[in-house]
Amino acid sequence: MSTVHLQHEHNRETCRQYLESLGDYVEGTLAAELCREIEAHMAVCDNCRIVVNTLAKTITLYRQMPSPELPNAVRERLFAVLDLAPYYRPGPESEDEPDSVT
Amino acid sequence: MSHQDDSDLVARLKAGDQAAYAQLVNDHAARIYRLALRMMGNETDAEDVLQETFLSAFKSIDNFEERASLSTWLYRIATNAALMRLRRKEPELVSVEEPVERDDGDLLPRQFFDFCCLPEEDFLRAEARAEMLRAIDELPATLRSVFILRDVEGLSTEETAAALDLSISAVKSRLMRARLKLRERLATYFSQGPVIPETRQ
Ligand SMILES: [Zn+2]
């Protein structure tokens, strides 16, 4: 652990320079040349390799997060507030508990 | 949905056609509610933002210019409504003039626990899900709105920029800051191992 830490201190400036390109890197929109540079750096820098892996994982986790449904009660009140009550039709509401926010 | 598909509906909306209003709500209410819920973090405020969004959309439909899609336009109204409400509730998280480029100091990764390859069930735990939502809630609102539109709702950088009235580069830089903050927080969380409630500080 401490050796990894020391290595990180040693490369800190380099790591910092790559930091702002990592977003484009994980999305695959970074120029090929810069990609190769970052990959070469990751081969010798565990910290940057971990940051890239976990950054990509973070994005994936949020993309896969189940989306909350619009409850019919909320939909119905919305139509009422908008003076559109006659147009209200219940939507397909899943049986599952809506995922809680808090 | 392309602008072309919108134009017939927009014409009917501008003519005051009630059925067109109902169609607008049916087409977009679920998405706007989702955005509002992620922005506000609770159902009561999310419902208020949802209602406010359509009320103000109906009021200002005459000003709608078809440079943006209806969907982007509604996202924009909803985000503004949410930010306004958050500004009242938590002014410390929503400074109006947040500097776009702050010192990178607080962005530098500090937590290097490699959680990317933990067993899948670790990520599916209710605890982990709740932590992910709390992490969004604790982002500064200006970063939260960008992150939600891009990474949760899946809008493109361009659509997000249009919805939030930001430059492309501001969207990219805020998105990066949001993602790094979330990564840092999840790395800290997962480094503590599966949580046994009684022993967690
Ligand atoms: Zn590095």
Side-chain angles (χ1 to χ4, degrees), chain B residues 2-181:
Chain B
S2 76
H3 302 195
Q4 198 68 48
D5 298 332
D6 280 348
S7 61
D8 176 51
L9 182 60
V10 171
R12 288 166 55 216
L13 287 167
K14 289 189 174 175
D17 178 346
Q18 290 289 97
Y21 284 118
Q23 188 188 329
L24 185 74
V25 178
N26 275 323
D27 289 350
H28 299 282
R31 225 171 324 165
I32 296 299
Y33 181 69
R34 218 159 54 210
L35 167 72
L37 193 53
R38 294 306 185 218
M39 279 298 289
M40 306 305 299
N42 74 78
E43 285 151 17
T44 314
D45 285 332
E47 182 168 356
D48 286 345
V49 167
L50 174 71
Q51 296 182 353
E52 231 172 280
T53 299
F54 282 99
L55 283 170
S56 83
F58 287 5
K59 241 182 266 167
S60 55
I61 187 67
D62 283 336
N63 304 327
F64 174 73
E65 293 169 36
E66 292 177 51
R67 279 173 316 185
S69 64
L70 276 173
S71 160
T72 305
W73 181 65
L74 286 170
Y75 273 134
R76 183 188 188 124
I77 297 173
T79 318
N80 283 336
L83 287 174
M84 207 131 68
R85 199 164 275 270
L86 286 168
R87 216 165 270 151
R88 283 199 299 268
K89 278 181 59 164
E90 37 182 305
E92 74 284 0
L93 283 180
V94 199
S95 54
V96 185
E97 295 296 328
E98 194 193 9
V100 173
E101 285 309 330
R102 227 181 306 171
D103 178 23
D104 274 355
D106 66 342
L107 286 186
L108 268 190
R110 292 185 166 77
Q111 176 57 255
F112 299 100
F113 176 71
D114 194 356
F115 64 92
C116 81
C117 308
L118 289 174
E120 204 53 29
E121 65 254 32
D122 283 14
F123 302 114
L124 299 176
R125 270 179 236 282
E127 234 320 302
R129 283 270 157 80
E131 178 70 13
M132 285 174 60
L133 291 173
R134 270 196 302 275
I136 296 188
D137 278 353
E138 285 172 22
L139 285 175
T142 47
L143 300 188
R144 197 188 313 162
S145 52
V146 172
F147 178 77
I148 292 170
L149 291 180
R150 276 291 278 117
D151 278 352
V152 181
E153 290 300 305
L155 267 64
S156 68
T157 304
E158 290 72 20
E159 289 169 323
T160 305
L164 298 177
D165 207 7
L166 291 172
S167 67
I168 299 279
S169 69
V171 169
K172 285 189 168 182
S173 114
R174 288 183 189 192
L175 179 65
M176 190 56 194
R177 283 158 61 201
R179 286 169 167 179
L180 283 171
K181 278 174 186 284

Side-chain angles (χ1 to χ4, degrees), chain A residues 8 11-12 14-16 18 41-42 45-49:
Chain A
H8 174 64
N11 286 331
R12 212 181 171 97
T14 324
C15 300
R16 188 199 291 268
Y18 287 128
H41 175 71
M42 285 195 298
C45 178
D46 282 343
N47 283 343
C48 281
R49 187 180 50 75

